[in-house]
Amino acid sequence: MKHYTNINDLGNLQKAVQEAMELKKNPLQHKTLGEGKSICLLFFNNSLRTRLSTQKAAQNLGMNVIVMNFGSEGWELEFEDGVVMNQNKSEHIKEAAKVIAQYCDLVAIRAFASLTDKEKDKAEMVINSFKKYAGIPVVNMESATGHPLQALADAITMGEFKTAHKPKVVLSWAPHPKALPHAVANSFVEMMQLQKADFVITHPEGYELNPEITKNSTIEYDQKKAFENADFVYVKNWSSFKDYGKIMNTDSSWMITSEKMKLTNNAKFMHCLPVRRNVIVTDEVIDSENSIVIQQANNRTYSAQIVLKKILEHHE
Ligand code: CP
């Protein structure tokens, strides 16, 4: 694998999940693969899980890790061509990406959506500019439109907890006071389209995700109906895609409660974290035995590790 910017870059999701499960049994089994190699983790936005798990994954492979909070510590970057740079942007991506590639063999990037310019966000300017100019493998640690490391961790987690051959999986919108990006939901949908499952997306009308991503996925506007007989309930907030980046409602009746979970087939509760308790989900649900959010977070390490391993092997 040359780059990892989308879940489809894996080629075979089921095989990657199996390999990650094997890796998890002995995380240090490839501890010399990355010897002498460095990875730069560049954060244009905050992180807890992605930062620590990707660092741990790289270290498990013997890599040297360089972390930079680019959003607060780097020069502000210009991405447009032919601009007279006499305003606040100090460095062009053309130099910055090539310079970064002098210090590392792989680069991983977190750069969220602006939520103000749909076309620019869809163009994935940051990730694609690094791909274009750095000349080294690029890993997406959550971009404007996707979070494929999270989606792979979710697939590993569902693989560990599923009891049915074709489980019912529900992706449910839940309310949030701030406008959040679509990246996690998009990658979850893309990942579910590669799975044997009865997959349903539920959200209030007006919160449809990008139809180019949801394609033929089932959408059910009645959340309670969607929850019936579900084996997994995956919860996430996102802002409007149609009325781009806007909050259409914060209806607390969409919060995940024990009453709603009783409609399911004793479903596992999933969330990528961070989560706002008693806004997205009640304490009772997230503290219940059916909540597997910590196991999901743990699998972020093995998701990142299998991705880095595949890239290192490709470039051996
Ligand atoms: N789920 C996730 O990506 O968490 P962080 O934003 O803390 O990295």
Side-chain angles (χ1 to χ4, degrees):
M1 189 166 61
K2 200 168 173 194
H3 302 281
Y4 185 65
T5 57
N6 183 284
I7 190 87
N8 290 299
D9 291 336
L10 288 170
N12 185 329
L13 173 66
Q14 278 71 31
K15 200 162 163 250
V17 167
Q18 284 305 320
E19 286 178 39
M21 287 177 176
E22 280 305 311
L23 198 65
K24 190 173 176 179
K25 290 179 190 162
N26 179 7
L28 298 179
Q29 61 187 284
H30 304 286
K31 66 182 180 199
T32 58
L33 181 67
E35 251 177 23
K37 304 268 186 195
S38 296
I39 182 168
C40 284
L41 310 184
L42 306 182
F43 287 90
F44 290 84
N45 307 95
N46 295 347
S47 170
L48 189 165
R49 281 143 288 273
T50 306
R51 178 169 174 158
L52 299 184
S53 63
T54 311
Q55 188 160 352
K56 184 175 173 192
Q59 286 168 345
N60 283 349
L61 294 167
M63 301 184 81
N64 178 42
V65 185
I66 305 166
V67 185
M68 182 171 179
N69 293 320
F70 215 102
S72 56
E73 296 165 357
W75 301 113
E76 197 171 341
L77 296 182
E78 177 61 67
F79 289 88
E80 304 287 347
D81 273 340
V83 175
V84 178
M85 290 173 58
N86 61 358
Q87 298 295 313
N88 52 348
K89 294 181 179 169
S90 309
E91 179 154 28
H92 202 280
I93 183 66
K94 286 183 181 177
E95 286 79 51
K98 285 177 189 152
V99 167
I100 288 161
Q102 307 306 304
Y103 310 136
C104 56
D105 305 281
L106 278 81
V107 61
I109 298 153
R110 164 162 285 199
F112 288 173
S114 67
L115 292 182
T116 54
D117 187 328
K118 185 192 276 191
E119 292 315 313
K120 269 194 181 165
D121 286 345
K122 279 175 78 179
E124 290 285 14
M125 190 177 61
V126 179
I127 288 275
N128 284 332
S129 297
F130 273 96
K131 264 176 144 173
K132 186 171 174 184
Y133 297 118
I136 56 174
V138 173
V139 175
N140 181 347
M141 296 196 297
E142 187 172 342
S143 66
T145 65
H147 196 353
L149 286 174
Q150 180 66 53
L152 178 53
D154 299 335
I156 298 165
T157 312
M158 287 196 291
E160 288 173 334
F161 282 91
K162 78 174 180 185
T163 51
H165 176 64
K166 192 178 171 201
K168 179 173 179 182
V169 180
V170 179
L171 169 63
S172 178
W173 180 92
H176 196 282
K178 288 173 70 179
L180 297 188
H182 310 94
V184 170
N186 285 344
S187 290
F188 188 76
V189 171
E190 288 174 327
M191 180 273 288
M192 284 311 305
Q193 287 166 350
L194 303 172
Q195 297 269 24
K196 280 192 184 67
D198 173 12
F199 178 52
V200 180
I201 307 170
T202 184
H203 54 70
E205 287 190 48
Y207 272 104
E208 288 75 14
L209 292 161
N210 181 353
E212 290 165 28
I213 289 175
T214 52
K215 293 180 194 152
N216 298 322
S217 296
T218 304
I219 298 172
E220 169 58 65
Y221 295 114
D222 181 338
Q223 190 191 36
K224 287 184 180 160
K225 197 169 166 204
F227 274 38
E228 282 170 12
N229 296 317
D231 297 295
F232 293 93
V233 171
Y234 193 102
V235 184
K236 184 73 186 82
N237 171 270
W238 59 86
S239 54
S240 173
F241 178 74
K242 193 169 167 220
D243 201 355
Y244 195 61
K246 298 284 182 302
I247 297 176
M248 311 303 287
N249 82 46
T250 52
D251 183 357
S252 62
S253 72
W254 277 78
M255 181 167 61
I256 310 307
T257 62
S258 294
E259 288 66 39
K260 285 179 200 168
M261 291 301 284
K262 281 183 191 136
L263 300 169
T264 69
N265 181 30
N266 197 28
K268 300 296 183 198
F269 170 81
M270 298 180 76
H271 190 286
C272 63
L273 304 180
V275 69
R276 292 191 183 224
R277 284 170 172 253
N278 304 308
V279 174
I280 294 268
V281 56
T282 62
D283 285 333
E284 202 180 1
V285 173
I286 195 166
D287 290 333
S288 74
E289 281 187 357
N290 285 30
S291 170
I292 53 173
V293 295
I294 304 303
Q295 291 90 333
Q296 263 179 281
N298 182 31
N299 281 330
R300 289 295 307 274
T301 299
Y302 309 106
S303 159
Q305 198 170 331
I306 203 73
V307 163
L308 298 181
K309 178 176 172 282
K310 283 178 181 292
I311 292 175
L312 287 169
E313 285 168 346
H314 179 88
H315 291 87
E316 259 181 335

